[in-house]
Amino acid sequence: MIQQIVFGIVSVAALGFAGWQFLRIRKNIMLGQPEPTLGDKGQRWKNVLLIALGQGKMFNRWVPGVMHLFIYVAFLITQIELIEIFIDGFGGGHRFFAPILGGFYTFVISFIEGISVLAFVGTIIFLSRRNLLKLPRFQSAEMKGWPFRDGNLILIFEILLLIGIFSMNGADTVLQSMNAEHYPDTGKLLVSSWFGPAVFGNLDLGTLHVIERFGWWLHLIMVFVFLNYLPKSKHLHLILAFPNTWYASLKPRGEMENMPVIMNEVKSMMGLSVEGGEQMPIEEVLPDFGANDITGLSWKTLLEAYTCTECGRCTSVCPASITGKKLSPRKIMMDIRDRTEEVAVRIESGNMEYAKDKEKPLSKDNFDDGKSLFDYISKEEIHACTTCNACVEACPVLIKPVDPILELRRYEILTLSEGPSDWLPLFNSIENGGSAWAMNVERDAWRK
Ligand code: SF4
Ligand code: SF4
């Protein structure tokens, strides 16, 4: 009975705290600007199934792809065992499904054990790649400190989870062979049937019981730790990859989001017809174009920032990064997430010091802490982007780092009227000659 009470308290506390953290992340994402979700739902489901669930884009690099698949499938499959742990925990029984499912139970638990061994191998390889082989994409500046520790920590959690599973099943197998009470027959499990006797075979009944309970609780606690750690970690992608692939734009990857007001202004400047559509407002104070902070970015970009796995595939193919420029699309997404957290904490604090208008309540529309996204992302970084979209093509979870880069650039050039001086001749040429090159001819003549 005491175990059931402890189980209930731990479960409610862990699930409640995790739920609160996930709701907070949702609230943070909604600090962004509204953006409609357009396009075919069938294609969206296909993206979710092939890219989020099926890990379709991970296999572009097959070694990490396969290892990642082992860990991912093990993570999903072990949750089946968790259902039984919950039933046993609240009901006070042991291995609720074993007598009901018989041989099928043996098959399921054996499958979990098999995939767990593969996940263990994958985890060791991933730890080695990070810490021994020191792959360059895990060693760059933005990966120093917490992001590097985060990657290691989650792999250590995975190992502890596997220790829990095999301690529980291994000791259980030996207890069954001793005909101990309350230990129903699980059949011959794939790994524990030899691992249990080999490691725990010489131990007495009392010690085996303690080891079995230790494994059971360790399994449960690690799942709860994992669940509560996810919102603070890049591993949030385990959950957010699903909504992110659902909401991802269905337009061709290279297509940039246009600014209708500016497009129409340019069209009329070039003498082209502007039928309907948005026009430049005739107000004395023009609105801001682009974004200089997370509250000006789309909520989808903020969702992408929280979904980023920090894998660095984008940075490894970015021509600006490869040629030594100060740009890493991965860092752009990490900076957006960090700034979102900062803004959210400050708004939550209710401190009126952060209110733009002190007479109104503090909110995302009435917020000014004297900082902006430019305090995280330098202009040198956003100028270095060639808008080639190689990062977008490489991302395994359909993130578009180029979108916020464009928004920041638009803010700098259209709202602040600033920008690199060597871009000015280009702008002047477009404005005066209708082409990017300084040719003093009519556009139509120039085209021929
Ligand atoms: S679009 Fe920009 S950030 Fe992305 S790969 Fe190309 S240059 Fe790099
Ligand atoms: S944006 Fe995509 S490719 Fe780049 S680090 Fe994040 S998840 Fe990886």
Side-chain angles (χ1 to χ4, degrees):
M1 192 61 188
I2 289 178
Q3 180 172 291
Q4 283 164 267
I5 294 170
V6 174
F7 180 87
I9 293 171
V10 170
S11 302
V12 169
L15 293 174
F17 189 56
W20 175 79
Q21 290 194 83
F22 284 110
L23 285 176
R24 188 179 164 271
I25 297 243
R26 185 184 177 281
K27 204 166 133 202
N28 294 357
I29 290 169
M30 297 325 283
L31 289 173
Q33 290 294 313
E35 185 190 331
T37 304
L38 307 171
D40 178 26
K41 282 192 179 168
Q43 182 58 43
R44 292 186 184 283
W45 278 118
K46 202 170 154 192
N47 283 349
V48 171
L49 291 176
L50 294 181
I51 295 173
L53 188 66
Q55 313 258 300
K57 293 188 79 180
M58 285 301 290
F59 293 96
N60 295 346
R61 296 180 186 185
W62 73 270
V63 174
V66 170
M67 295 303 137
H68 189 270
L69 184 72
F70 289 157
I71 296 175
Y72 174 68
V73 174
F75 173 79
L76 290 183
I77 298 286
T78 46
Q79 308 317 316
I80 298 175
E81 215 171 9
L82 202 62
I83 298 171
E84 188 178 55
I85 287 185
F86 268 94
I87 294 174
D88 291 346
F90 280 117
H94 185 67
R95 302 238 177 218
F96 176 81
F97 289 120
I100 300 171
L101 300 178
F104 184 64
Y105 185 85
T106 309
F107 169 77
V108 172
I109 302 296
S110 292
F111 186 76
I112 291 173
E113 289 198 343
I115 202 75
S116 295
V117 170
L118 294 175
F120 181 74
V121 174
T123 307
I124 298 297
I125 291 176
F126 276 171
L127 275 172
S128 311
R129 276 160 32 108
R130 285 178 165 270
N131 300 286
L132 300 177
L133 299 178
K134 296 190 185 296
L135 289 195
R137 70 188 163 105
F138 298 127
Q139 307 296 324
S140 47
E142 71 262 25
M143 294 307 289
K144 301 270 182 260
W146 168 247
F148 190 78
R149 284 199 300 278
D150 177 29
N152 277 339
L153 209 55
I154 209 86
L155 292 168
I156 292 165
F157 287 169
E158 181 77 26
I159 290 177
L160 288 174
L161 179 68
L162 296 174
I163 290 174
I165 291 174
F166 287 113
S167 308
M168 177 177 81
N169 289 356
D172 198 311
T173 306
V174 181
L175 282 162
Q176 288 171 46
S177 69
M178 295 164 92
N179 293 320
E181 258 186 279
H182 309 302
Y183 287 91
D185 183 15
T186 56
K188 201 165 178 237
L189 299 178
L190 183 70
V191 178
S192 295
S193 58
W194 58 267
F195 174 81
V199 178
F200 309 122
N202 295 326
L203 302 178
D204 61 75
L205 206 78
T207 312
L208 284 167
H209 183 72
V210 170
I211 292 173
E212 193 279 330
R213 285 295 87 189
F214 163 79
W216 190 88
W217 276 102
L218 183 61
H219 184 171
L220 180 76
I221 300 281
M222 286 324 295
V223 170
F224 284 156
V225 167
F226 207 80
L227 198 63
N228 279 280
Y229 179 74
L230 277 190
K232 298 174 180 58
S233 158
K234 69 178 189 127
H235 290 83
L236 191 55
H237 73 266
L238 278 167
I239 293 169
L240 293 191
F242 292 90
N244 196 64
T245 46
W246 166 268
Y247 288 113
S249 168
L250 298 180
K251 292 180 185 166
R253 296 226 177 93
E255 189 175 319
M256 289 182 195
E257 289 299 330
N258 228 327
M259 301 177 74
V261 175
I262 300 292
M263 185 178 67
N264 289 340
E265 187 73 6
V266 173
K267 272 186 175 174
S268 56
M269 187 183 80
M270 294 170 80
L272 302 172
S273 67
V274 181
E275 288 165 16
E278 293 179 54
Q279 301 289 325
M280 186 72 82
I282 320 168
E283 294 155 15
E284 275 185 23
V285 181
L286 287 174
D288 285 353
F289 296 105
N292 73 335
D293 213 340
I294 59 104
T295 47
L297 296 174
S298 157
W299 68 273
K300 290 188 185 178
T301 300
L302 305 192
L303 171 63
E304 289 179 348
Y306 275 105
T307 307
C308 178
T309 73
E310 297 175 13
C311 67
R313 287 168 188 240
C314 50
T315 300
S316 70
V317 295
C318 171
S321 177
I322 291 169
T323 51
K325 312 277 189 311
K326 195 185 168 193
L327 171 62
S328 162
R330 168 173 60 187
K331 175 182 172 290
I332 300 285
M333 299 316 295
M334 292 167 71
D335 285 342
I336 292 171
R337 186 191 53 209
D338 291 349
R339 174 64 180 156
T340 306
E341 282 288 322
E342 183 177 59
V343 171
V345 167
R346 290 187 170 176
I347 292 178
E348 273 168 19
S349 75
N351 186 343
M352 289 306 285
E353 182 193 327
Y354 301 126
K356 207 186 298 177
D357 179 345
K358 310 285 183 220
E359 303 301 314
K360 293 183 184 163
L362 185 61
S363 70
K364 72 170 182 174
D365 300 318
N366 185 33
F367 176 78
D368 181 8
D369 63 349
K371 288 177 79 178
S372 77
L373 209 41
F374 285 112
D375 288 298
Y376 285 74
I377 302 169
S378 69
K379 292 182 178 163
E380 189 185 342
E381 288 168 78
I382 58 167
H383 296 164
C385 177
T386 65
T387 63
C388 66
N389 275 287
C391 52
V392 179
E393 189 61 41
C395 181
V397 283
L398 301 185
I399 290 172
K400 293 179 77 179
V402 75
D403 281 358
I405 292 176
L406 283 178
E407 290 302 319
L408 287 166
R409 263 195 204 170
R410 284 168 176 171
Y411 187 88
E412 184 195 10
I413 290 165
L414 295 170
T415 304
L416 299 180
S417 299
E418 292 173 4
S421 56
D422 48 356
W423 289 10
L424 280 178
L426 167 88
F427 295 142
N428 288 336
S429 295
I430 293 174
E431 194 167 347
N432 300 325
S435 83
W437 293 274
M439 294 181 193
N440 194 17
V441 288
E442 286 297 314
R443 182 175 174 82
D444 281 348
W446 165 78
R447 280 197 312 177
K448 286 174 188 162

PDB file of all heavy atoms in Angstrom, residues 307-315 329-330 333 391 394-397 399 401, ligand 2:
ATOM      1  N   THR A 307      11.826  23.476 -31.864  1.00  0.00           N
ATOM      2  CA  THR A 307      11.931  22.124 -32.426  1.00  0.00           C
ATOM      3  C   THR A 307      13.356  21.778 -32.829  1.00  0.00           C
ATOM      4  O   THR A 307      13.696  20.599 -32.954  1.00  0.00           O
ATOM      5  CB  THR A 307      11.016  22.009 -33.679  1.00  0.00           C
ATOM      6  OG1 THR A 307       9.703  22.422 -33.336  1.00  0.00           O
ATOM      7  CG2 THR A 307      10.937  20.582 -34.197  1.00  0.00           C
ATOM      8  N   CYS A 308      14.197  22.796 -33.004  1.00  0.00           N
ATOM      9  CA  CYS A 308      15.555  22.553 -33.527  1.00  0.00           C
ATOM     10  C   CYS A 308      16.289  21.510 -32.690  1.00  0.00           C
ATOM     11  O   CYS A 308      16.350  21.594 -31.461  1.00  0.00           O
ATOM     12  CB  CYS A 308      16.343  23.868 -33.536  1.00  0.00           C
ATOM     13  SG  CYS A 308      18.024  23.653 -34.114  1.00  0.00           S
ATOM     14  N   THR A 309      16.853  20.519 -33.365  1.00  0.00           N
ATOM     15  CA  THR A 309      17.552  19.418 -32.675  1.00  0.00           C
ATOM     16  C   THR A 309      19.021  19.745 -32.438  1.00  0.00           C
ATOM     17  O   THR A 309      19.745  18.920 -31.889  1.00  0.00           O
ATOM     18  CB  THR A 309      17.485  18.128 -33.512  1.00  0.00           C
ATOM     19  OG1 THR A 309      18.357  18.283 -34.633  1.00  0.00           O
ATOM     20  CG2 THR A 309      16.092  17.835 -34.029  1.00  0.00           C
ATOM     21  N   GLU A 310      19.448  20.925 -32.922  1.00  0.00           N
ATOM     22  CA  GLU A 310      20.851  21.346 -32.810  1.00  0.00           C
ATOM     23  C   GLU A 310      21.798  20.352 -33.486  1.00  0.00           C
ATOM     24  O   GLU A 310      22.941  20.185 -33.065  1.00  0.00           O
ATOM     25  CB  GLU A 310      21.247  21.551 -31.340  1.00  0.00           C
ATOM     26  CG  GLU A 310      20.457  22.654 -30.672  1.00  0.00           C
ATOM     27  CD  GLU A 310      20.750  22.804 -29.199  1.00  0.00           C
ATOM     28  OE1 GLU A 310      21.738  22.226 -28.716  1.00  0.00           O
ATOM     29  OE2 GLU A 310      19.962  23.493 -28.514  1.00  0.00           O
ATOM     30  N   CYS A 311      21.295  19.654 -34.505  1.00  0.00           N
ATOM     31  CA  CYS A 311      22.119  18.626 -35.162  1.00  0.00           C
ATOM     32  C   CYS A 311      23.232  19.241 -36.005  1.00  0.00           C
ATOM     33  O   CYS A 311      24.237  18.594 -36.278  1.00  0.00           O
ATOM     34  CB  CYS A 311      21.245  17.727 -36.028  1.00  0.00           C
ATOM     35  SG  CYS A 311      20.514  18.580 -37.451  1.00  0.00           S
ATOM     36  N   GLY A 312      23.053  20.495 -36.444  1.00  0.00           N
ATOM     37  CA  GLY A 312      24.102  21.168 -37.210  1.00  0.00           C
ATOM     38  C   GLY A 312      24.165  20.771 -38.678  1.00  0.00           C
ATOM     39  O   GLY A 312      25.091  21.180 -39.393  1.00  0.00           O
ATOM     40  N   ARG A 313      23.194  19.996 -39.158  1.00  0.00           N
ATOM     41  CA  ARG A 313      23.215  19.621 -40.581  1.00  0.00           C
ATOM     42  C   ARG A 313      23.110  20.861 -41.461  1.00  0.00           C
ATOM     43  O   ARG A 313      23.674  20.919 -42.541  1.00  0.00           O
ATOM     44  CB  ARG A 313      22.058  18.665 -40.880  1.00  0.00           C
ATOM     45  CG  ARG A 313      22.306  17.275 -40.318  1.00  0.00           C
ATOM     46  CD  ARG A 313      21.062  16.420 -40.340  1.00  0.00           C
ATOM     47  NE  ARG A 313      21.317  15.178 -39.630  1.00  0.00           N
ATOM     48  CZ  ARG A 313      21.232  13.973 -40.161  1.00  0.00           C
ATOM     49  NH1 ARG A 313      20.857  13.822 -41.396  1.00  0.00           N
ATOM     50  NH2 ARG A 313      21.517  12.903 -39.450  1.00  0.00           N
ATOM     51  N   CYS A 314      22.324  21.839 -40.991  1.00  0.00           N
ATOM     52  CA  CYS A 314      22.169  23.077 -41.770  1.00  0.00           C
ATOM     53  C   CYS A 314      23.504  23.810 -41.879  1.00  0.00           C
ATOM     54  O   CYS A 314      23.922  24.207 -42.965  1.00  0.00           O
ATOM     55  CB  CYS A 314      21.118  23.967 -41.112  1.00  0.00           C
ATOM     56  SG  CYS A 314      21.389  24.218 -39.354  1.00  0.00           S
ATOM     57  N   THR A 315      24.184  23.955 -40.739  1.00  0.00           N
ATOM     58  CA  THR A 315      25.443  24.702 -40.735  1.00  0.00           C
ATOM     59  C   THR A 315      26.510  23.990 -41.560  1.00  0.00           C
ATOM     60  O   THR A 315      27.321  24.625 -42.233  1.00  0.00           O
ATOM     61  CB  THR A 315      25.908  24.899 -39.274  1.00  0.00           C
ATOM     62  OG1 THR A 315      24.887  25.624 -38.589  1.00  0.00           O
ATOM     63  CG2 THR A 315      27.209  25.657 -39.183  1.00  0.00           C
ATOM     64  N   PRO A 329      23.313  28.752 -39.445  1.00  0.00           N
ATOM     65  CA  PRO A 329      21.849  28.727 -39.323  1.00  0.00           C
ATOM     66  C   PRO A 329      21.384  28.046 -38.038  1.00  0.00           C
ATOM     67  O   PRO A 329      20.354  28.412 -37.477  1.00  0.00           O
ATOM     68  CB  PRO A 329      21.400  27.966 -40.577  1.00  0.00           C
ATOM     69  CG  PRO A 329      22.635  27.458 -41.246  1.00  0.00           C
ATOM     70  CD  PRO A 329      23.800  28.194 -40.712  1.00  0.00           C
ATOM     71  N   ARG A 330      22.165  27.064 -37.563  1.00  0.00           N
ATOM     72  CA  ARG A 330      21.807  26.439 -36.282  1.00  0.00           C
ATOM     73  C   ARG A 330      21.827  27.471 -35.162  1.00  0.00           C
ATOM     74  O   ARG A 330      20.901  27.527 -34.346  1.00  0.00           O
ATOM     75  CB  ARG A 330      22.799  25.315 -35.948  1.00  0.00           C
ATOM     76  CG  ARG A 330      22.680  24.818 -34.522  1.00  0.00           C
ATOM     77  CD  ARG A 330      23.528  23.599 -34.238  1.00  0.00           C
ATOM     78  NE  ARG A 330      24.953  23.817 -34.447  1.00  0.00           N
ATOM     79  CZ  ARG A 330      25.874  22.867 -34.383  1.00  0.00           C
ATOM     80  NH1 ARG A 330      25.511  21.629 -34.113  1.00  0.00           N
ATOM     81  NH2 ARG A 330      27.143  23.122 -34.587  1.00  0.00           N
ATOM     82  N   MET A 333      18.730  29.680 -35.064  1.00  0.00           N
ATOM     83  CA  MET A 333      17.550  29.071 -34.439  1.00  0.00           C
ATOM     84  C   MET A 333      17.721  28.993 -32.915  1.00  0.00           C
ATOM     85  O   MET A 333      16.777  29.228 -32.159  1.00  0.00           O
ATOM     86  CB  MET A 333      17.279  27.669 -35.007  1.00  0.00           C
ATOM     87  CG  MET A 333      17.007  27.624 -36.500  1.00  0.00           C
ATOM     88  SD  MET A 333      15.899  28.900 -37.143  1.00  0.00           S
ATOM     89  CE  MET A 333      14.355  28.522 -36.352  1.00  0.00           C
ATOM     90  N   CYS A 391      20.341  25.141 -46.158  1.00  0.00           N
ATOM     91  CA  CYS A 391      20.013  24.784 -44.770  1.00  0.00           C
ATOM     92  C   CYS A 391      18.602  24.200 -44.685  1.00  0.00           C
ATOM     93  O   CYS A 391      18.355  23.238 -43.954  1.00  0.00           O
ATOM     94  CB  CYS A 391      20.141  26.000 -43.859  1.00  0.00           C
ATOM     95  SG  CYS A 391      19.225  27.434 -44.447  1.00  0.00           S
ATOM     96  N   ALA A 394      18.544  20.714 -45.939  1.00  0.00           N
ATOM     97  CA  ALA A 394      19.241  19.729 -45.085  1.00  0.00           C
ATOM     98  C   ALA A 394      18.503  19.420 -43.794  1.00  0.00           C
ATOM     99  O   ALA A 394      18.735  18.370 -43.189  1.00  0.00           O
ATOM    100  CB  ALA A 394      20.633  20.259 -44.740  1.00  0.00           C
ATOM    101  N   CYS A 395      17.603  20.282 -43.365  1.00  0.00           N
ATOM    102  CA  CYS A 395      17.021  20.116 -42.025  1.00  0.00           C
ATOM    103  C   CYS A 395      16.120  18.889 -41.938  1.00  0.00           C
ATOM    104  O   CYS A 395      15.183  18.744 -42.717  1.00  0.00           O
ATOM    105  CB  CYS A 395      16.239  21.366 -41.624  1.00  0.00           C
ATOM    106  SG  CYS A 395      15.548  21.187 -39.979  1.00  0.00           S
ATOM    107  N   PRO A 396      16.384  18.004 -40.969  1.00  0.00           N
ATOM    108  CA  PRO A 396      15.573  16.780 -40.867  1.00  0.00           C
ATOM    109  C   PRO A 396      14.163  16.998 -40.323  1.00  0.00           C
ATOM    110  O   PRO A 396      13.345  16.079 -40.370  1.00  0.00           O
ATOM    111  CB  PRO A 396      16.382  15.895 -39.905  1.00  0.00           C
ATOM    112  CG  PRO A 396      17.215  16.838 -39.124  1.00  0.00           C
ATOM    113  CD  PRO A 396      17.485  18.023 -39.998  1.00  0.00           C
ATOM    114  N   VAL A 397      13.875  18.198 -39.795  1.00  0.00           N
ATOM    115  CA  VAL A 397      12.536  18.428 -39.247  1.00  0.00           C
ATOM    116  C   VAL A 397      11.846  19.642 -39.891  1.00  0.00           C
ATOM    117  O   VAL A 397      10.983  20.278 -39.287  1.00  0.00           O
ATOM    118  CB  VAL A 397      12.548  18.551 -37.705  1.00  0.00           C
ATOM    119  CG1 VAL A 397      12.676  17.199 -37.045  1.00  0.00           C
ATOM    120  CG2 VAL A 397      13.664  19.467 -37.236  1.00  0.00           C
ATOM    121  N   ILE A 399      12.770  22.735 -40.781  1.00  0.00           N
ATOM    122  CA  ILE A 399      12.934  24.103 -40.269  1.00  0.00           C
ATOM    123  C   ILE A 399      13.501  24.988 -41.384  1.00  0.00           C
ATOM    124  O   ILE A 399      14.286  24.519 -42.213  1.00  0.00           O
ATOM    125  CB  ILE A 399      13.876  24.090 -39.041  1.00  0.00           C
ATOM    126  CG1 ILE A 399      13.156  23.407 -37.875  1.00  0.00           C
ATOM    127  CG2 ILE A 399      14.323  25.488 -38.652  1.00  0.00           C
ATOM    128  CD1 ILE A 399      14.024  23.161 -36.673  1.00  0.00           C
ATOM    129  N   PRO A 401      15.626  28.178 -41.481  1.00  0.00           N
ATOM    130  CA  PRO A 401      16.375  29.264 -40.822  1.00  0.00           C
ATOM    131  C   PRO A 401      16.434  30.528 -41.668  1.00  0.00           C
ATOM    132  O   PRO A 401      16.649  31.620 -41.146  1.00  0.00           O
ATOM    133  CB  PRO A 401      17.792  28.672 -40.662  1.00  0.00           C
ATOM    134  CG  PRO A 401      17.621  27.191 -40.774  1.00  0.00           C
ATOM    135  CD  PRO A 401      16.464  26.973 -41.694  1.00  0.00           C
TER     136      PRO A 401
HETATM  137  S1  SF4 B   2      17.743  23.973 -38.051  1.00  0.00           S
HETATM  138 FE1  SF4 B   2      17.395  21.827 -38.619  1.00  0.00          FE
HETATM  139  S2  SF4 B   2      19.353  21.156 -39.519  1.00  0.00           S
HETATM  140 FE2  SF4 B   2      19.749  23.032 -38.380  1.00  0.00          FE
HETATM  141  S3  SF4 B   2      20.435  22.359 -36.361  1.00  0.00           S
HETATM  142 FE3  SF4 B   2      18.215  22.735 -36.228  1.00  0.00          FE
HETATM  143  S4  SF4 B   2      17.290  20.744 -36.671  1.00  0.00           S
HETATM  144 FE4  SF4 B   2      19.422  20.593 -37.349  1.00  0.00          FE
END
